[in-house]
């Protein structure tokens, strides 16, 4: 089943077109259903289509791989190889760094500047964060500086492990998706 195949049609300027403005999240589509997931660790170069082919034997289920992981934009939310990550950082932070593209990576890591700091966090409990004034007033080994490069790297690594819906639920998911996308 192709993702857009089940979308309803609307008439715009006297022409029938797919209503691609519909959005479905897996949690809304499977409300109250108990679904098994398997974790999968992405390898460099894996794409949603490759995973769908490998795991579901159907490349057209790439949408399910994305939906299962709340990925709306696979170009920015999918795991990147080291090379892709560095290219992304160069483009994303060129203006903020006021550097040439080739110098952006160095700027995002540079320990002697403050403009590349994202936050100050506890080494033991990263959820505990403090502001700059507290960090300077009470320098302690318990807190660390998180710079742009580390933030982007860690975010990317957190995307390496994805969830895959157990194959045995495919029929149920396809039917439920059709219902939800058509307003049911």
């Amino acid at each position: 089943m192709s993702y857009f195949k089940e979308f309803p049609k609307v008439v715009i300027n006297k022409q029938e077109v797919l209503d691609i403005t519909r959005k479905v999240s897996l949690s809304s589509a499977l409300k109250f259903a108990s679904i098994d997931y398997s974790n999968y660790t992405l390898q460099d170069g894996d794409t949603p289509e490759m995973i769908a082919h490998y795991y579901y034997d159907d490349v057209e289920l790439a949408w399910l791989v994305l939906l299962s992981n709340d990925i709306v934009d696979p170009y920015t939310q999918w795991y990147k190889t080291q090379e892709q990550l560095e290219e992304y950082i160069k483009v994303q932070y060129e203006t903020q760094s006021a550097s040439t593209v080739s110098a952006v990576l160095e700027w995002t890591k540079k320990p002697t500047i403050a403009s590349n700091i994202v936050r100050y966090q506890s080494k033991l409990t990263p959820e505990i964060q403090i502001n700059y004034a507290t960090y300077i007033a009470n320098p302690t080994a318990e807190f660390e500086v998180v710079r742009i490069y580390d933030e982007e790297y860690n975010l990317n690594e957190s995307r390496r492990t994805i969830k895959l819906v157990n194959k045995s639920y495919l029929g149920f998911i396809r039917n439920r998706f059709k219902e939800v996308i058509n307003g049911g």
Side-chain angles (χ1 to χ4, degrees):
M1 174 178 95
S2 173
Y3 181 71
F4 291 108
K5 180 181 175 189
E6 301 303 325
F7 278 57
K9 295 185 179 183
V10 293
V11 176
I12 299 177
N13 296 331
K14 300 179 184 176
Q15 186 174 3
E16 191 174 70
V17 294
L18 284 178
D19 181 3
I20 61 169
T21 63
R22 305 282 175 115
K23 183 178 182 242
V24 175
S25 71
L26 203 56
S27 60
S28 69
L30 303 176
K31 232 186 266 185
F32 310 116
S34 179
I35 299 291
D36 282 337
Y37 291 93
S38 295
N39 286 334
Y40 178 82
T41 302
L42 295 170
Q43 303 302 310
D44 282 358
D46 280 348
T47 65
E49 294 79 11
M50 290 168 66
I51 301 303
H53 174 71
Y54 165 75
Y55 190 74
Y56 299 119
D57 297 319
D58 186 349
V59 71
E60 288 193 358
L61 287 174
W63 64 268
L64 182 57
V65 173
L66 296 172
L67 206 60
S68 299
N69 293 282
D70 297 321
I71 295 175
V72 176
D73 181 1
Y75 297 105
T76 59
Q77 295 177 295
W78 187 257
Y79 172 76
K80 297 169 182 62
T81 65
Q82 187 66 29
E83 183 179 318
Q84 291 168 331
L85 176 64
E86 290 182 359
E87 285 305 312
Y88 171 80
I89 290 171
K90 287 176 187 177
V91 171
Q92 191 71 18
Y93 296 98
E94 181 180 13
T95 302
Q96 185 178 342
S97 71
S99 303
T100 61
V101 173
S102 60
V104 173
L105 278 180
E106 194 60 37
W107 174 85
T108 64
K109 300 176 189 179
K110 195 168 187 175
T112 58
I113 59 174
S115 57
N116 67 3
I117 296 173
V118 177
R119 69 178 168 280
Y120 305 89
Q121 71 183 25
S122 167
K123 290 179 181 177
L124 300 174
T125 313
E127 298 80 29
I128 298 175
Q129 298 177 17
I130 58 174
N131 62 26
Y132 173 75
T134 304
Y135 182 77
I136 294 301
N138 188 17
T140 172
E142 180 188 347
F143 288 91
E144 65 185 346
V145 174
V146 178
R147 299 189 185 278
I148 289 172
Y149 185 88
D150 296 325
E151 177 76 357
E152 292 291 349
Y153 178 85
N154 291 335
L155 178 61
N156 190 53
E157 282 302 308
S158 74
R159 294 174 174 154
R160 185 185 282 270
T161 301
I162 61 170
K163 298 182 297 186
L164 297 171
V165 173
N166 188 306
K167 294 180 215 183
S168 64
Y169 295 100
L170 286 179
F172 172 75
I173 289 171
R174 285 180 168 134
N175 291 335
R176 186 68 185 122
F177 178 79
K178 289 176 194 178
E179 291 172 12
V180 170
I181 206 67
N182 287 293

